[in-house]
Amino acid sequence: MRNSTVFYLLFLTLCLSATVGYGQKDVWKLVWSDEFNTDGKPDSTAWTYERGFVRNRELQWYQPENTVCKNGALILSGRKDKVANPNYTSGSADWRKNREYAEYTASSIKTVGKKEFLYGRFEVRAKIPTASGSWPAIWTLGNAMPWPSCGEIDIMEYYRINDVPHILANVAWGTDRAYHAKWDDAKIPFSKFTDNDPDWENKFHVWRMDWDETAIRLYLDDELLNETLLSETINGVVGNYSNPFKQPHYILLNLAIGGDNGGTPDDAAFPLQYEIDYVRVYERK
């Protein structure tokens, strides 16, 4: 009995050590980062811009002019601007074409084709806008297949659900229907954070993803928000039953306004600023 107890305590110690070690920086090696320390436009060897009306029937027109690096941070701005839509077609059924003007502008940048990663620890330190209508995000996509069979990881989203602000941490993959996703999502009322710190929205916070061959774990300030096992993330027939999280993904940073989830913009709150201090990617040593 005594030997069994000793063996059990030794086994428990080893398990706890492994768990603690997994979260320590000394097991990680930095493989790429952008600290945004050079004033001007983002590094063109890492980032490209999205332009125009892109997704989710959002209200903003994406344009590079709303993107700048200043004082050690990347700033994505949302503005109350009126911009003519060069693709406007009267009577079109396509929402990207049937709007003669965009009433807002904003920014979305991505590392597609330039910086793509398979597994690792991803960290983004940012301060997000929380006014009604704002929809900031940190996310990744694979590029081997159309969405959602390419896989989507929402390291951070913020928007209002039934007019209640939420922080979200989501993972999505394909099903048997084209453009229809299977979601593993976590929706946390924003009050959980502001009740503990009334000044939360005026501070920078660290969003993190730990992604390996077995799971995706999404954190906010070291608090686990969501965990998705890769054994469950198998695409349907449209995605050839592949696993979209066993392929490289690229990073997107964007500020959307309105649309399917953003809600009604509070025009009095504009301009909006989404500030990113850094983006860092680590691999296990």
Side-chain angles (χ1 to χ4, degrees), residues 3-266:
N3 289 339
S4 298
T5 302
V6 171
F7 176 80
Y8 172 77
L9 291 174
L10 178 60
F11 176 77
L12 182 61
T13 300
L14 289 172
C15 289
L16 289 172
S17 297
T19 301
V20 172
Y22 189 82
Q24 299 300 316
K25 284 286 183 66
D26 58 7
V27 305
W28 297 98
K29 174 180 70 175
L30 183 68
V31 293
W32 176 73
S33 71
D34 198 333
E35 307 293 323
F36 306 113
N37 287 332
T38 301
D39 285 359
K41 292 301 181 183
D43 179 5
S44 61
T45 67
W47 303 99
T48 59
Y49 301 97
E50 295 194 291
R51 299 171 187 265
F53 292 132
V54 179
R55 63 181 72 85
N56 300 323
R57 289 177 285 276
E58 294 158 1
L59 301 179
Q60 81 287 333
W61 184 264
Y62 281 139
Q63 58 182 22
E65 292 86 342
N66 292 52
T67 314
V68 67
C69 298
K70 186 177 180 180
N71 298 326
L74 169 69
I75 301 173
L76 307 183
S77 297
R79 301 174 188 159
K80 185 75 172 73
D81 291 332
K82 189 171 185 177
V83 176
N85 179 6
N87 303 313
Y88 172 67
T89 303
S90 179
S92 173
D94 185 343
W95 69 272
R96 296 174 180 85
K97 297 180 179 180
N98 61 21
R99 302 174 180 181
E100 188 172 2
Y101 297 95
E103 302 292 338
Y104 302 87
T105 61
S107 176
S108 178
I109 63 174
K110 56 186 180 180
T111 66
V112 61
K114 299 190 174 189
K115 301 292 180 181
E116 302 184 359
F117 307 94
L118 176 61
Y119 309 135
R121 167 170 288 186
F122 297 63
E123 285 187 347
V124 180
R125 184 173 185 263
K127 182 168 65 173
I128 64 172
T130 59
S132 178
S134 61
W135 184 357
I138 303 162
W139 50 307
T140 76
L141 289 171
N143 61 13
M145 293 182 177
W147 187 89
S149 296
C150 62
E152 175 178 332
I153 306 170
D154 299 324
I155 299 172
M156 180 277 292
E157 285 190 292
Y158 168 91
Y159 56 78
R160 295 176 182 238
I161 302 173
N162 297 323
D163 206 34
V164 177
H166 281 72
I167 294 282
L168 299 96
N170 312 316
V171 178
W173 58 98
T175 63
D176 290 338
R177 292 168 52 195
Y179 308 111
H180 181 79
K182 170 70 173 178
W183 291 91
D184 179 16
D185 51 11
K187 301 173 182 177
I188 301 97
F190 192 44
S191 59
K192 168 181 166 56
F193 308 102
T194 55
D195 285 351
N196 292 327
D197 180 2
D199 200 37
W200 191 99
E201 62 188 301
N202 296 315
K203 297 177 180 179
F204 282 86
H205 301 274
V206 177
W207 280 269
R208 187 177 97 228
M209 170 172 67
D210 288 347
W211 170 28
D212 60 24
E213 298 89 341
T214 63
I216 296 164
R217 300 174 180 89
L218 303 175
Y219 299 82
L220 170 52
D221 292 333
D222 290 326
E223 178 182 352
L224 180 65
L225 301 184
N226 197 6
E227 179 178 28
T228 304
L229 300 180
L230 266 60
S231 60
E232 300 174 357
T233 60
I234 308 302
N235 282 324
V237 63
V238 177
N240 299 321
Y241 304 104
S242 60
N243 194 320
F245 305 111
K246 295 190 175 183
Q247 62 162 332
H249 276 223
Y250 61 91
I251 300 168
L252 302 96
L253 306 171
N254 75 290
L255 173 58
I257 299 166
D260 290 347
N261 292 323
T264 303
D266 177 4

